[in-house]
Amino acid sequence: MAHVSDLIATDIGRYLHTHQHKDLLRFITCGSVDDGKSTLIGRLLYESKMLFEDQLAALEADSKKVGTQGGDLDFALLVDGLSAEREQGITIDVAYRFFSTDRRKFIVADTPGHEQYTRNMITGASTADLAVILVDARKGVLTQTRRHSFLVSLIGIRHVVLAINKMDLVGFGRERFEEILEEYRAFAAPLGFQTITPIPMSALKGDNVVEGSAAMPWYQGPSLMQHLETAVVTPAEGNKAFRMPVQWVNRPNLDFRGYSGLIAAGEVRPGDRVVAQPSGRETRVARIVTYDGDLDVAVAGQSVTLTLTDEVDISRGDLLAAADAPAQVADRFESTIVWMNDAAMLPGRRYLMKIGTRTVTASVLALKHRIDVNTQAQLAAKTLDLNEIGVCDLSLDEAIAFDPYQENHTTGGFILIDRISNETVGVGLLRAALARSRNVRWETLDIDRAARAAQKGQKPCVLWFTGLSGAGKSTIANLVEKKLHADGRHTMLLDGDNVRHGLNKDLGFSDADRVENIRRVAEVAKLMADSGLIVLVSLISPFRSERQMARDLLPPGEFLEIFVDTPLDVAEGRDVKGLYKRARAGEIRNFTGIDSPYEAPEQADIRIDTQTTGPEAAALAIVEELERRGLLTADLLVDGAAI
């Protein structure tokens, strides 16, 4: 291996000591396709002599085989590791590379330039302190230049290098450099960057990459490497109030209980007052325990175990914070979300939200606006598609401790996860708590659902009928209710058509409106069940996620998903209301089964095959299943039932 330091060969101990105490700069390269991002990183690795001899040999061989530089080295091949990247000459995945100089260590993320890989770019930027935004001198500021600059600003990076590349292809002209710089500064003025450092360069030829360029004597500023070695980035997390998300309750024996995690901000010492959030219980730090022994002080970036002077109920996901500067606690927020999934974001749908070490259920209440990253204009929208960015209100099932993202990236940044597929579908930044978090509280009622159910002499539950339009849901649900009513049960049937005349008359049939339709009906069904009723819901409810949401609102065993299973061709053949015919004619859009999907239950509680079972027989089978499950028994004596 060739390395810039001769100490490796002469004094390895001194080299390791020097290397260990260098500071670390994380940065990204971004910009449009073919601006030369991968070539620049390859040149940096080559010039800093951080390549093994076998890597150089492989680079020479690959350059002859697939490179685009004739017989010369194609430095882009050092970071374009995927075969698809090499074949297409583009970056698809985020590639991280480590290198160092005598003054500093670096981790650089090479991020994709294509719009379709914006999510990958966000991933690379999330841990960076500085961004190198490349511009092709021939093309100037492009859409992706503006897009990536906006995203860099959004993610909290405040220091930018404007690397105007390929100056060799414009004759190293100063006028072109200044023309691009003026345009970029005008665009970036509202983004709030603390520093914009322009550097004219040729990554391919090496001009102004590591050493100054003789071809551009009019430029008197630093080379890129000189700037990276000396750049002063945003204040360290160590200057902020203490924050440590609890990752693990460390209890190896009966005599030890500690709370382990990575310190996200600030410092902590034995004796410091800390508060466990969101519970708000205050205590003091007794010891800072590590594998190498106790510490007198621990700072941001260290993983430690803290023992406390009091027995406090703390579990994974809680936050230990400085008692005199605690985090905020709320369950509703205004947030910025970058959507990263092919399926659109649907307000009203429940997602898992992972923030720090805590995972909670979150719903997007409303999309306030979508942001056009090219013009930064606020656009009206009901949903977010892949790579789009919007400002949304979020509601959580439980309160969490947090800081605004601009104050702390760890306690203010989160990801959203689809509850069915477990895919990461979005990343978000918490902006502020909504006032409702402080002003609205749950009011406990003296007469509870058990007392109301006992008064009616029955067990409450929700029977959720799902299936295609024309499957027979309403017919069967109506027959079931008649049988229950005749048996003296207290019931209510919520029919999909009926609720759209009142409760949901403001909703259409887009995916977002369907989600909201189901959410409202599920909440009403829950309230009716709380009053002791047996609630029947007849709703197409095409998405598994929303049916699961409705199930989660009820206690275990009190929600039955009844799949009225009728194939599309059979339902369409019945077409009692003529809806399929109109949908096929294009008169009705977003019709389930035609141009809108239906996700059939994978494990329904009851499945009715309407091709082999008539409505009367189906209703009777459902009632018998309710009896078998004990939902119609008279064993209803509960404490407090006489209140």
Side-chain angles (χ1 to χ4, degrees), residues 447-581:
I447 300 177
D448 60 14
R449 77 193 309 267
R452 298 176 196 277
Q455 186 183 48
K456 295 177 176 62
Q458 62 185 33
K459 290 183 178 179
C461 64
V462 171
L463 311 179
W464 192 279
F465 293 78
T466 177
L468 293 169
S469 177
K473 301 182 297 299
S474 296
T475 301
I476 297 173
N478 198 41
L479 289 172
V480 172
E481 187 179 32
K482 287 171 64 178
K483 292 183 182 298
L484 294 175
H485 184 75
D487 195 33
R489 307 296 174 178
H490 298 260
T491 63
M492 181 61 198
L493 172 57
L494 297 175
D495 186 83
D497 284 345
N498 294 350
V499 296
R500 282 186 178 273
H501 285 282
L503 176 68
N504 294 339
K505 65 180 179 182
D506 58 321
L507 300 177
F509 291 88
S510 66
D511 288 351
D513 283 346
R514 286 179 185 274
V515 170
E516 176 61 12
N517 180 48
I518 298 166
R519 187 193 69 80
R520 292 184 192 178
V521 173
E523 291 286 353
V524 171
K526 174 183 179 298
L527 290 174
M528 288 184 169
D530 285 346
S531 73
L533 293 175
I534 297 174
V535 187
L536 301 91
V537 177
S538 174
L539 212 59
I540 294 174
S541 46
F543 305 124
R544 294 191 188 103
S545 181
E546 277 55 59
R547 296 196 297 267
Q548 182 63 44
M549 176 274 296
R551 181 187 292 273
D552 292 343
L553 293 177
L554 277 295
E558 295 188 10
F559 180 94
L560 272 68
E561 186 179 38
I562 301 172
F563 179 29
V564 183
D565 189 359
T566 303
L568 176 62
D569 58 336
V570 176
E572 190 169 359
R574 297 172 182 169
D575 204 12
V576 178
K577 302 176 183 177
L579 298 177
Y580 283 100
K581 184 178 180 180

Side-chain angles (χ1 to χ4, degrees), residues 408-427:
N408 191 306
H409 291 187
T410 301
T411 54
F414 63 90
I415 62 172
L416 292 178
I417 302 169
D418 186 275
R419 300 168 75 228
I420 301 298
S421 66
N422 284 326
E423 290 181 282
T424 298
V425 294
V427 296

Side-chain angles (χ1 to χ4, degrees), residues 89-349:
I90 62 172
T91 300
I92 297 174
D93 199 2
V94 180
Y96 294 92
R97 290 293 184 272
F98 170 85
F99 67 97
S100 69
T101 66
D102 287 340
R103 304 184 62 171
R104 207 170 213 176
K105 295 181 288 188
F106 303 93
I107 294 178
V108 55
D110 182 26
T111 62
H114 278 82
E115 180 179 350
Q116 70 188 92
Y117 301 122
T118 297
R119 52 188 169 185
N120 299 18
M121 181 268 172
I122 289 284
T123 302
S126 61
T127 58
D129 304 307
L130 179 147
V132 178
I133 298 176
L134 281 91
V135 175
D136 187 326
R138 300 168 301 169
K139 302 175 182 175
V141 177
L142 301 176
T143 298
Q144 279 299 80
T145 313
R146 291 189 285 268
R147 172 183 290 271
H148 283 186
S149 297
F150 176 79
L151 292 173
V152 162
S153 168
L154 181 67
I155 211 74
I157 297 175
R158 290 292 171 263
H159 302 275
V160 165
V161 173
L162 183 67
I164 302 178
N165 192 25
K166 303 187 181 182
M167 289 295 293
D168 54 310
L169 299 182
V170 295
F172 298 105
R174 181 174 185 169
E175 290 184 358
R176 181 57 178 158
F177 169 76
E178 292 182 343
E179 182 183 33
I180 294 172
L181 177 59
E182 183 180 359
E183 181 183 357
Y184 184 80
R185 279 183 167 159
F187 159 76
L191 298 182
F193 294 131
Q194 292 182 20
T195 63
I196 298 175
T197 304
I199 301 177
M201 66 175 63
S202 170
L204 181 64
K205 305 295 183 183
D207 294 88
N208 281 336
V209 176
V210 174
E211 303 293 340
S213 171
M216 291 177 279
W218 48 267
Y219 175 72
Q220 300 299 314
S223 69
L224 177 61
M225 182 64 84
Q226 289 168 345
H227 179 74
L228 294 176
E229 284 184 323
T230 58
V232 178
V233 296
T234 49
E237 300 294 331
N239 296 331
K240 301 177 181 177
F242 170 69
R243 301 283 188 269
M244 190 185 88
V246 176
Q247 186 171 11
W248 177 42
V249 179
N250 187 350
R251 198 162 185 236
N253 56 60
L254 296 177
D255 300 321
F256 184 92
R257 180 189 294 271
Y259 304 96
S260 304
L262 174 69
I263 299 177
E267 62 179 35
V268 64
R269 302 170 186 274
D272 282 357
R273 291 169 48 236
V274 295
V275 60
Q277 294 186 289
S279 69
R281 180 74 184 276
E282 187 175 323
T283 182
R284 289 183 182 274
V285 176
R287 296 170 54 198
I288 304 174
V289 181
T290 71
Y291 179 80
D292 296 321
D294 286 12
L295 300 178
D296 295 328
V297 61
V299 300
Q302 286 185 286
S303 294
V304 297
T305 296
L306 302 182
T307 63
L308 307 175
T309 56
D310 302 295
E311 290 291 336
V312 182
D313 183 12
I314 300 175
S315 57
R316 173 182 167 83
D318 288 346
L319 181 72
L320 287 173
D324 56 355
Q328 301 178 51
V329 176
D331 63 359
R332 291 203 173 202
F333 309 91
E334 182 182 79
S335 66
T336 301
I337 291 179
V338 182
W339 197 248
M340 303 171 67
N341 196 264
D342 293 326
M345 181 192 78
L346 297 177
R349 174 167 289 182

